[in-house]
Amino acid sequence: MPPRGWRDAVESVYRRHGAGSLDSDPLQFPRRFRRPDDQEIAAFFAASLSYGNARAVCSSLERVFAWTGPHPARFVREFEPQRESIRLGGFRHRWSGAGDLVRLAVMLRRILEQHGSVQALFDGGAVRESGGRVDLAASIGRFRQAALAYDEAPPSADPSRPGPRYFFPDPRTSAAKRITMFLRWVVREDDGLDLGLWDCLQPRDLVAPLDTHMFLIARRFRLTSRKTPAWQTALDLTRGLRRLDPEDPVKYDFALSRLGIVEGCPRHRRSEPCELCALLGSGKRLRT
């Protein structure tokens, strides 16, 4: 059972953090583009590299979009690996290197050639249940399998490294945070934050992106009793947020994630109480 006052706490954070907080979020990058096809490709690049420190993520994405230029979709459609790998040089974002991005761009080029858009590939494998709801885990799994079929590793590739597979997380082995975040961006209507690009899914079909910070929030609000941030934990969090808005539960994700990026929401027991703790009136440190 969630603690008393949790609804008001979440709604307060939601009202406070809107488009004015985009400068700390990778979503700022696809919003720089006007054309829907450019936004879709930019969103996929941005979500794919959204792991690690937020400042480092944004720094890496600045370089990526200097590489793609003002029209990422055209860049992908006309992509020449040998030419563009030289331009990207020694790019590295944690364990993802220039070669991984080049392979991702080739995969996206082939997807656009065969399907016209990333949405078309996803929609072709979407698993729809009775009543029209989508089995998102199964749909992501099919999308992942179809996308990875377009990857051809060069002879020099190290098979022990994750490579482009890392850009397509698997709900069977993780919370698949980056793909659920990408889906939030492209499915939810354009509200100054999300982009409203896709119509093959509805906001009610989405699952909340779950990273370490959102896992702690789910635990803080007693929305889950699970010990690890896996797919089932993300479903628990989503079910909790659905109590606040059944048709659009993940609308709260951006605001809540700000607490971890810019508000200093605690990540360990020595941290100061976060805004949510104060709004709940407890003043207690978050415990995991």
Side-chain angles (χ1 to χ4, degrees):
M1 180 74 67
R4 182 180 301 174
W6 79 285
R7 295 172 181 266
D8 291 339
V10 173
E11 292 289 355
S12 177
V13 173
Y14 175 69
R15 290 191 298 269
R16 177 178 171 185
H17 294 283
S21 301
L22 263 177
D23 60 352
S24 63
D25 195 272
L27 181 53
Q28 66 179 287
F29 293 94
R31 290 209 68 91
R32 293 179 181 180
F33 304 98
R34 298 296 182 188
R35 291 173 52 97
D37 58 344
D38 288 331
Q39 290 183 331
E40 182 189 61
I41 294 299
F44 202 87
F45 275 124
S48 295
L49 291 176
S50 290
Y51 65 96
N53 177 271
R55 184 175 298 178
V57 169
C58 290
S59 177
S60 293
L61 290 175
E62 289 286 3
R63 185 167 180 190
V64 168
F65 291 110
W67 181 52
T68 68
H71 297 289
R74 184 171 67 192
F75 170 83
V76 164
R77 291 190 184 98
E78 300 174 354
F79 189 75
E80 293 290 343
Q82 291 185 337
R83 178 187 68 208
E84 298 302 339
S85 61
I86 295 173
R87 288 186 57 235
L88 193 55
F91 173 88
R92 177 158 294 279
H93 177 72
R94 300 191 74 181
W95 49 78
S96 296
D100 299 321
L101 276 188
V102 168
R103 285 169 64 184
L104 176 60
V106 171
M107 293 166 69
L108 291 172
R109 186 193 70 196
R110 291 169 176 165
I111 289 169
L112 296 189
E113 288 172 349
Q114 293 293 316
H115 302 275
S117 68
V118 179
Q119 175 180 202
L121 177 63
F122 188 97
D123 191 27
V127 179
R128 304 189 184 278
E129 302 173 331
S130 59
R133 288 205 176 264
V134 172
D135 182 334
L136 198 62
S139 299
I140 290 172
R142 286 189 175 185
F143 171 70
R144 179 179 188 271
Q145 183 178 22
L148 290 177
Y150 291 102
D151 179 39
E152 292 184 6
S156 59
D158 182 351
S160 67
R161 296 183 67 251
R165 293 192 310 276
Y166 190 73
F167 301 141
F168 297 87
D170 189 345
R172 295 174 299 178
T173 57
S174 73
K177 175 251 182 177
R178 283 166 292 117
I179 189 66
T180 56
M181 185 176 67
F182 168 76
L183 292 174
R184 193 206 92 203
W185 290 355
V186 297
V187 170
R188 290 194 67 251
E189 67 179 12
D190 185 348
D191 58 357
L193 292 170
D194 296 317
L195 303 166
L197 300 175
W198 287 16
D199 57 11
C200 66
L201 297 172
Q202 297 298 315
R204 65 175 177 268
D205 297 321
L206 300 176
V207 169
L210 186 77
D211 57 11
T212 300
H213 166 70
M214 292 298 287
F215 172 60
L216 292 178
I217 285 181
R219 296 273 295 172
R220 174 69 178 87
F221 286 150
R222 300 200 289 272
L223 301 179
T224 187
S225 60
R226 301 180 196 275
K227 305 298 185 183
T228 56
W231 182 259
Q232 290 300 322
T233 317
L235 293 180
D236 288 345
L237 173 60
T238 307
R239 280 190 287 267
L241 296 176
R242 196 170 282 129
R243 300 182 192 181
L244 307 182
D245 191 331
E247 294 301 310
D248 192 9
V250 304
K251 76 179 187 183
Y252 300 100
D253 173 65
F254 179 84
L256 290 173
S257 67
R258 293 314 88 207
L259 300 181
I261 294 175
V262 299
E263 294 289 329
C265 188
R267 298 172 186 271
H268 50 75
R269 294 184 180 184
R270 294 188 299 275
S271 299
E272 292 302 314
C274 70
E275 179 185 1
L276 289 176
C277 292
L279 288 168
L280 287 170
S282 67
K284 297 178 181 178
R285 289 177 172 82
L286 182 149
R287 295 181 180 179
T288 59

